[in-house]
PDB file of all heavy atoms in Angstrom:
ATOM      1  N   VAL B 319     328.545 201.155 172.919  1.00 94.00           N
ATOM      2  CA  VAL B 319     329.728 200.369 173.061  1.00 94.00           C
ATOM      3  C   VAL B 319     329.461 198.911 173.125  1.00 94.00           C
ATOM      4  O   VAL B 319     330.229 198.074 172.687  1.00 94.00           O
ATOM      5  CB  VAL B 319     330.581 200.907 174.236  1.00 94.00           C
ATOM      6  CG1 VAL B 319     329.893 200.616 175.548  1.00 94.00           C
ATOM      7  CG2 VAL B 319     331.961 200.271 174.210  1.00 94.00           C
ATOM      8  N   VAL B 320     328.358 198.499 173.695  1.00 95.00           N
ATOM      9  CA  VAL B 320     327.999 197.075 173.819  1.00 95.00           C
ATOM     10  C   VAL B 320     327.984 196.437 172.447  1.00 95.00           C
ATOM     11  O   VAL B 320     328.549 195.402 172.197  1.00 95.00           O
ATOM     12  CB  VAL B 320     326.665 196.871 174.566  1.00 95.00           C
ATOM     13  CG1 VAL B 320     326.244 195.447 174.542  1.00 95.00           C
ATOM     14  CG2 VAL B 320     326.809 197.351 176.020  1.00 95.00           C
ATOM     15  N   PHE B 321     327.207 197.053 171.548  1.00 96.00           N
ATOM     16  CA  PHE B 321     327.105 196.494 170.164  1.00 96.00           C
ATOM     17  C   PHE B 321     328.431 196.720 169.371  1.00 96.00           C
ATOM     18  O   PHE B 321     328.866 195.775 168.681  1.00 96.00           O
ATOM     19  CB  PHE B 321     325.984 197.194 169.406  1.00 96.00           C
ATOM     20  CG  PHE B 321     324.548 196.697 169.804  1.00 96.00           C
ATOM     21  CD1 PHE B 321     324.406 195.753 170.835  1.00 96.00           C
ATOM     22  CD2 PHE B 321     323.452 197.188 169.202  1.00 96.00           C
ATOM     23  CE1 PHE B 321     323.155 195.317 171.232  1.00 96.00           C
ATOM     24  CE2 PHE B 321     322.160 196.761 169.588  1.00 96.00           C
ATOM     25  CZ  PHE B 321     322.017 195.834 170.568  1.00 96.00           C
ATOM     26  N   ASP B 322     329.044 197.868 169.613  1.00 95.00           N
ATOM     27  CA  ASP B 322     330.222 198.136 168.823  1.00 95.00           C
ATOM     28  C   ASP B 322     331.367 197.146 169.157  1.00 95.00           C
ATOM     29  O   ASP B 322     332.155 196.770 168.301  1.00 95.00           O
ATOM     30  CB  ASP B 322     330.716 199.583 169.075  1.00 95.00           C
ATOM     31  CG  ASP B 322     329.741 200.582 168.418  1.00 95.00           C
ATOM     32  OD1 ASP B 322     328.879 200.158 167.641  1.00 95.00           O
ATOM     33  OD2 ASP B 322     329.834 201.780 168.696  1.00 95.00           O
ATOM     34  N   SER B 323     331.451 196.836 170.430  1.00 95.00           N
ATOM     35  CA  SER B 323     332.555 195.948 170.889  1.00 95.00           C
ATOM     36  C   SER B 323     332.227 194.443 170.704  1.00 95.00           C
ATOM     37  O   SER B 323     333.070 193.596 170.871  1.00 95.00           O
ATOM     38  CB  SER B 323     332.903 196.222 172.352  1.00 95.00           C
ATOM     39  OG  SER B 323     331.831 195.843 173.145  1.00 95.00           O
ATOM     40  N   ALA B 324     330.931 194.176 170.434  1.00 96.00           N
ATOM     41  CA  ALA B 324     330.563 192.741 170.309  1.00 96.00           C
ATOM     42  C   ALA B 324     330.977 192.163 168.973  1.00 96.00           C
ATOM     43  O   ALA B 324     330.924 192.874 167.961  1.00 96.00           O
ATOM     44  CB  ALA B 324     329.059 192.575 170.536  1.00 96.00           C
ATOM     45  N   GLU B 325     331.347 190.894 168.989  1.00 96.00           N
ATOM     46  CA  GLU B 325     331.665 190.228 167.747  1.00 96.00           C
ATOM     47  C   GLU B 325     330.364 190.082 166.923  1.00 96.00           C
ATOM     48  O   GLU B 325     330.338 190.296 165.743  1.00 96.00           O
ATOM     49  CB  GLU B 325     332.231 188.825 168.035  1.00 96.00           C
ATOM     50  CG  GLU B 325     333.228 188.308 167.068  1.00 96.00           C
ATOM     51  CD  GLU B 325     333.799 186.949 167.514  1.00 96.00           C
ATOM     52  OE1 GLU B 325     333.005 186.128 168.045  1.00 96.00           O
ATOM     53  OE2 GLU B 325     335.000 186.740 167.303  1.00 96.00           O
ATOM     54  N   SER B 326     329.314 189.690 167.602  1.00 97.00           N
ATOM     55  CA  SER B 326     328.038 189.454 166.930  1.00 97.00           C
ATOM     56  C   SER B 326     326.875 190.110 167.704  1.00 97.00           C
ATOM     57  O   SER B 326     326.898 190.166 168.927  1.00 97.00           O
ATOM     58  CB  SER B 326     327.774 187.956 166.853  1.00 97.00           C
ATOM     59  OG  SER B 326     328.709 187.367 165.977  1.00 97.00           O
ATOM     60  N   VAL B 327     325.873 190.550 166.919  1.00 98.00           N
ATOM     61  CA  VAL B 327     324.651 191.006 167.487  1.00 98.00           C
ATOM     62  C   VAL B 327     323.512 190.317 166.738  1.00 98.00           C
ATOM     63  O   VAL B 327     323.415 190.397 165.502  1.00 98.00           O
ATOM     64  CB  VAL B 327     324.492 192.588 167.300  1.00 98.00           C
ATOM     65  CG1 VAL B 327     323.209 193.060 167.859  1.00 98.00           C
ATOM     66  CG2 VAL B 327     325.693 193.290 167.939  1.00 98.00           C
ATOM     67  N   LEU B 328     322.715 189.588 167.525  1.00 98.00           N
ATOM     68  CA  LEU B 328     321.687 188.749 166.950  1.00 98.00           C
ATOM     69  C   LEU B 328     320.316 189.085 167.523  1.00 98.00           C
ATOM     70  O   LEU B 328     320.175 189.349 168.721  1.00 98.00           O
ATOM     71  CB  LEU B 328     321.985 187.260 167.249  1.00 98.00           C
ATOM     72  CG  LEU B 328     323.386 186.776 166.786  1.00 98.00           C
ATOM     73  CD1 LEU B 328     323.565 185.333 167.187  1.00 98.00           C
ATOM     74  CD2 LEU B 328     323.556 186.933 165.269  1.00 98.00           C
ATOM     75  N   ALA B 329     319.277 189.053 166.640  1.00 98.00           N
ATOM     76  CA  ALA B 329     317.948 189.440 167.090  1.00 98.00           C
ATOM     77  C   ALA B 329     316.916 188.336 166.747  1.00 98.00           C
ATOM     78  O   ALA B 329     317.076 187.640 165.729  1.00 98.00           O
ATOM     79  CB  ALA B 329     317.570 190.742 166.412  1.00 98.00           C
ATOM     80  N   ILE B 330     315.908 188.184 167.554  1.00 98.00           N
ATOM     81  CA  ILE B 330     314.758 187.377 167.181  1.00 98.00           C
ATOM     82  C   ILE B 330     313.476 188.128 167.454  1.00 98.00           C
ATOM     83  O   ILE B 330     313.371 188.832 168.466  1.00 98.00           O
ATOM     84  CB  ILE B 330     314.717 186.023 167.924  1.00 98.00           C
ATOM     85  CG1 ILE B 330     314.902 186.169 169.453  1.00 98.00           C
ATOM     86  CG2 ILE B 330     315.685 185.016 167.356  1.00 98.00           C
ATOM     87  CD1 ILE B 330     314.726 184.881 170.230  1.00 98.00           C
ATOM     88  N   PRO B 331     312.515 188.028 166.526  1.00 98.00           N
ATOM     89  CA  PRO B 331     311.232 188.667 166.714  1.00 98.00           C
ATOM     90  C   PRO B 331     310.248 187.753 167.473  1.00 98.00           C
ATOM     91  O   PRO B 331     310.267 186.565 167.224  1.00 98.00           O
ATOM     92  CB  PRO B 331     310.735 188.829 165.269  1.00 98.00           C
ATOM     93  CG  PRO B 331     311.286 187.616 164.560  1.00 98.00           C
ATOM     94  CD  PRO B 331     312.553 187.255 165.267  1.00 98.00           C
ATOM     95  N   VAL B 332     309.494 188.319 168.363  1.00 97.00           N
ATOM     96  CA  VAL B 332     308.543 187.523 169.116  1.00 97.00           C
ATOM     97  C   VAL B 332     307.166 188.039 168.844  1.00 97.00           C
ATOM     98  O   VAL B 332     306.818 189.161 169.218  1.00 97.00           O
ATOM     99  CB  VAL B 332     308.801 187.569 170.650  1.00 97.00           C
ATOM    100  CG1 VAL B 332     307.897 186.606 171.375  1.00 97.00           C
ATOM    101  CG2 VAL B 332     310.285 187.282 170.922  1.00 97.00           C
ATOM    102  N   GLN B 333     306.402 187.184 168.152  1.00 96.00           N
ATOM    103  CA  GLN B 333     305.046 187.602 167.721  1.00 96.00           C
ATOM    104  C   GLN B 333     304.177 187.942 168.966  1.00 96.00           C
ATOM    105  O   GLN B 333     304.117 187.133 169.895  1.00 96.00           O
ATOM    106  CB  GLN B 333     304.404 186.483 166.918  1.00 96.00           C
ATOM    107  CG  GLN B 333     303.621 187.022 165.741  1.00 96.00           C
ATOM    108  CD  GLN B 333     302.888 185.894 164.981  1.00 96.00           C
ATOM    109  OE1 GLN B 333     303.266 184.699 165.120  1.00 96.00           O
ATOM    110  NE2 GLN B 333     301.869 186.231 164.256  1.00 96.00           N
ATOM    111  N   GLY B 334     303.541 189.091 168.919  1.00 95.00           N
ATOM    112  CA  GLY B 334     302.670 189.465 170.035  1.00 95.00           C
ATOM    113  C   GLY B 334     303.432 189.887 171.267  1.00 95.00           C
ATOM    114  O   GLY B 334     302.835 190.156 172.320  1.00 95.00           O
ATOM    115  N   GLY B 335     304.760 189.950 171.161  1.00 96.00           N
ATOM    116  CA  GLY B 335     305.618 190.163 172.363  1.00 96.00           C
ATOM    117  C   GLY B 335     305.534 191.632 172.865  1.00 96.00           C
ATOM    118  O   GLY B 335     306.020 191.893 173.958  1.00 96.00           O
ATOM    119  N   ALA B 336     304.922 192.518 172.055  1.00 96.00           N
ATOM    120  CA  ALA B 336     304.847 193.916 172.564  1.00 96.00           C
ATOM    121  C   ALA B 336     304.049 193.981 173.869  1.00 96.00           C
ATOM    122  O   ALA B 336     304.213 194.938 174.650  1.00 96.00           O
ATOM    123  CB  ALA B 336     304.200 194.812 171.476  1.00 96.00           C
ATOM    124  N   ALA B 337     303.235 192.914 174.071  1.00 95.00           N
ATOM    125  CA  ALA B 337     302.439 192.915 175.307  1.00 95.00           C
ATOM    126  C   ALA B 337     303.186 192.401 176.511  1.00 95.00           C
ATOM    127  O   ALA B 337     302.634 192.369 177.622  1.00 95.00           O
ATOM    128  CB  ALA B 337     301.188 192.046 175.073  1.00 95.00           C
ATOM    129  N   PHE B 338     304.459 191.982 176.357  1.00 96.00           N
ATOM    130  CA  PHE B 338     305.240 191.510 177.483  1.00 96.00           C
ATOM    131  C   PHE B 338     305.289 192.554 178.553  1.00 96.00           C
ATOM    132  O   PHE B 338     305.488 193.753 178.251  1.00 96.00           O
ATOM    133  CB  PHE B 338     306.673 191.150 177.089  1.00 96.00           C
ATOM    134  CG  PHE B 338     306.839 189.808 176.448  1.00 96.00           C
ATOM    135  CD1 PHE B 338     305.742 188.999 176.183  1.00 96.00           C
ATOM    136  CD2 PHE B 338     308.083 189.300 176.088  1.00 96.00           C
ATOM    137  CE1 PHE B 338     305.900 187.776 175.562  1.00 96.00           C
ATOM    138  CE2 PHE B 338     308.239 188.076 175.498  1.00 96.00           C
ATOM    139  CZ  PHE B 338     307.170 187.293 175.245  1.00 96.00           C
ATOM    140  N   THR B 339     305.128 192.192 179.822  1.00 95.00           N
ATOM    141  CA  THR B 339     305.198 193.102 180.921  1.00 95.00           C
ATOM    142  C   THR B 339     306.666 193.358 181.266  1.00 95.00           C
ATOM    143  O   THR B 339     307.577 192.604 180.876  1.00 95.00           O
ATOM    144  CB  THR B 339     304.532 192.564 182.168  1.00 95.00           C
ATOM    145  OG1 THR B 339     305.239 191.377 182.568  1.00 95.00           O
ATOM    146  CG2 THR B 339     303.062 192.232 181.924  1.00 95.00           C
ATOM    147  N   ARG B 340     306.899 194.410 181.976  1.00 95.00           N
ATOM    148  CA  ARG B 340     308.217 194.715 182.538  1.00 95.00           C
ATOM    149  C   ARG B 340     308.759 193.489 183.313  1.00 95.00           C
ATOM    150  O   ARG B 340     309.948 193.112 183.095  1.00 95.00           O
ATOM    151  CB  ARG B 340     307.994 195.888 183.535  1.00 95.00           C
ATOM    152  CG  ARG B 340     309.277 196.358 184.238  1.00 95.00           C
ATOM    153  CD  ARG B 340     310.025 197.290 183.414  1.00 95.00           C
ATOM    154  NE  ARG B 340     311.433 196.911 183.333  1.00 95.00           N
ATOM    155  CZ  ARG B 340     312.300 197.392 182.461  1.00 95.00           C
ATOM    156  NH1 ARG B 340     311.933 198.285 181.524  1.00 95.00           N
ATOM    157  NH2 ARG B 340     313.557 196.943 182.450  1.00 95.00           N
TER     158      ARG B 340
END
Side-chain angles (χ1 to χ4, degrees):
Chain B
V319 67
V320 172
F321 285 1
D322 291 349
S323 66
E325 212 178 38
S326 293
V327 179
L328 306 177
I330 47 173
V332 186
Q333 220 184 339
F338 279 4
T339 62
R340 178 85 230 165

